[in-house]
Amino acid sequence: MGIYKDCDIRGRYGFELGTEEAFLIGRAVGSIIVGRRCARLPSHAGGPYVIVGGDLRPSTGALKEALMDGLNAEGVYVADVGTLPTPAFYHALGGSGASGGVMVTASHSPPDHNGFKVTLGEGPITVGDMGEIEAKVGSLRAGARPGPAAGPGGRREGDAAAGAGAAGMAATPTATPCGARVRGNGLSFGTGMRARADVRGSYVASLADAYAGLPFGGGGGAGGPGAAGDAPRVGALGAAGLTAAVDCGNGAMCGLAAEALSLVGVRVLELFGEPDGRFPGRGPNPTDHSCLGALCAMVAERGADFGVAFDGDGDRAVFVDDMGRPVDGERAFALMVKGGRWGRGDRSDGASAAPRFVYDLKSSSAVRRAIEEAGGVPLMARSGHTFIKRAFLESGAAMAGEISGHFFFFGIGGDDGLFAAMAMAKLLGCTGGTLSSMLDAIAMPPITPDLRLDCAPEGQDGILRAIEALGEGHTVTRLDGVRIEFPDGWVLARKSVTASQITLRVEAADGASMDRIRRLLTDAVPETRSIL
């Protein structure tokens, strides 16, 4: 599988991805931005600009410098917001007026990997956008030629951070005075091609402001479109008095998580709170519950009300209940949906509409049931961050959730692992119940984890067709692969975007139904016997 995925760019540093590729990616993104003329700029600006940030992996600095060189080479200005979590990068982007942005991160992948999360214009990146970037990189690589040294504001001779692979491949244009101030976050350009700013403080302040609007306990709030109510002020109700064990995993949320949670009254017990992009405390993917042993023990031993673990770049959150048990993302999402007073949204045509909730098509039926019991409208979306985010934004949903630990909130306009932790704290504080008791009240039917069947790309379509044939007479959804709804359960089969595999998931009403659906699958596709 290549490094260009449906949602982002990601690969092993030094093998699949290096500074030369980063430079070409910067040129490709810059070329697209200039070609589309999608900049929303002050009238006195010298050209389009993008926001660039990065996580704290050892390779991020070199990749980021090479990327910015590539952007500058296409005449694109760069607003560098430094080292920060991905949600803080999106905060910077949202208030900037920029034409797009690039976050250098491999998210939850191992420490020897890295990559790029790209935004073009205002919405999430599309599969077509990713294909265009990949094609432009290929064209640039084929036609790359040496050029003069970088001009002011670009890569300078002897700048080791840029890496040898980016050097001399194209000229960085001579910087022209810009003087443009990026609204909202204090960024400004002087006479160079780059500006720098620290948005971490404004990011935390924005979360504290949005916290007050969470519709838990106060009746309404700003948690959904058009919702209204008398939500309490920060710290006046909800999280105050709670204790949370916070596992930053040595990742990008170190420091910020404790600051934001403390601000709303939570007593924080820190775990793996020293920033280190090698992730020495645990792996950067907390959805692998085997990484959560230390957090589970801390919650149980210190009597915390809940625990939360963030992934490497901080956009995912995985919870642990007060008994020290990891919580599946779909169950945590169902709890937040059920626990909120989401109100009713106002449609543009003036009619009253129930709040909408977007959920991952891999989710348990317990999620859909929770949405319906909350008086909401369930909207199924394709798995994958950008697909969920696009559905969330386009539908004006109150919340969205992905089983991987992405939680989206109307009040912040996107997903954020730290804000999800703040939301969980407020929900617990307002209800007065324990997390374990509230989760145990959510009935979860038998469901498998993701089951991965190794399969060469040329054989995958045949397997999907064989499974789809089982859906005759039943509801079949083709958002991503094939999802068949039986009277007593469902099965999902889809191609993996990261490996040569078919991913399966099965839910059933009870054990007997699970056995029946498994037999259907193994009879139709004998290869599945090894995983079912």
Side-chain angles (χ1 to χ4, degrees), residues 204 246 248 253-262 268 270 310 418 422:
V204 170
V246 178
C248 290
M253 275 299 177
C254 288
L256 291 175
E259 180 182 352
L261 286 164
S262 298
V268 173
E270 284 193 276
F310 304 109
L418 176 51
M422 296 168 73

Side-chain angles (χ1 to χ4, degrees), residues 272-295:
F272 305 133
E274 293 296 321
D276 188 336
R278 299 168 298 174
F279 307 112
R282 61 159 172 83
N285 183 11
T287 58
D288 177 1
H289 291 175
S290 66
C291 293
L292 301 181
L295 178 62

Side-chain angles (χ1 to χ4, degrees), residues 254-424:
C254 288
L256 291 175
E259 180 182 352
L261 286 164
S262 298
L263 192 62
V264 297
V266 176
R267 174 175 173 255
V268 173
L269 305 174
E270 284 193 276
L271 181 65
F272 305 133
E274 293 296 321
D276 188 336
R278 299 168 298 174
F279 307 112
R282 61 159 172 83
N285 183 11
T287 58
D288 177 1
H289 291 175
S290 66
C291 293
L292 301 181
L295 178 62
C296 293
M298 174 178 275
V299 171
E301 293 169 4
R302 303 284 295 273
D305 295 286
F306 72 100
V308 61
F310 304 109
D311 70 338
D313 69 331
D315 57 0
R316 300 186 186 198
V318 175
F319 294 99
V320 170
D321 72 12
D322 52 293
M323 297 180 67
R325 302 178 300 184
V327 180
D328 291 331
E330 55 208 321
R331 182 173 280 190
F333 179 50
L335 178 62
M336 290 186 198
V337 170
K338 288 173 66 70
R341 300 180 181 180
W342 297 101
R344 298 180 67 83
D346 294 322
R347 297 195 319 215
S348 59
D349 60 6
S352 181
R356 303 167 184 86
F357 296 90
V358 174
Y359 68 102
D360 182 349
L361 89 166
K362 295 196 294 184
S363 297
S364 166
S365 60
V367 172
R368 182 182 184 93
R369 184 168 59 250
I371 294 170
E372 292 172 340
E373 290 174 353
V377 177
L379 301 174
M380 182 188 291
R382 179 179 174 181
S383 296
H385 174 267
T386 60
F387 305 116
I388 299 285
K389 185 173 183 177
R390 183 171 296 277
F392 164 75
L393 293 174
E394 291 180 350
S395 66
M399 270 194 75
E402 190 176 10
I403 66 171
S404 61
H406 286 285
F407 300 94
F408 300 75
F409 298 86
F410 179 83
I412 60 172
D415 61 316
D416 189 323
L418 176 51
F419 193 67
M422 296 168 73
M424 183 64 77

Side-chain angles (χ1 to χ4, degrees), residues 47 84 120-121 176 228 327 340 418 498 514 529:
L84 74 180
L120 298 174
T176 55
V327 180
L418 176 51
T498 59
M514 179 66 77
R529 290 172 184 160

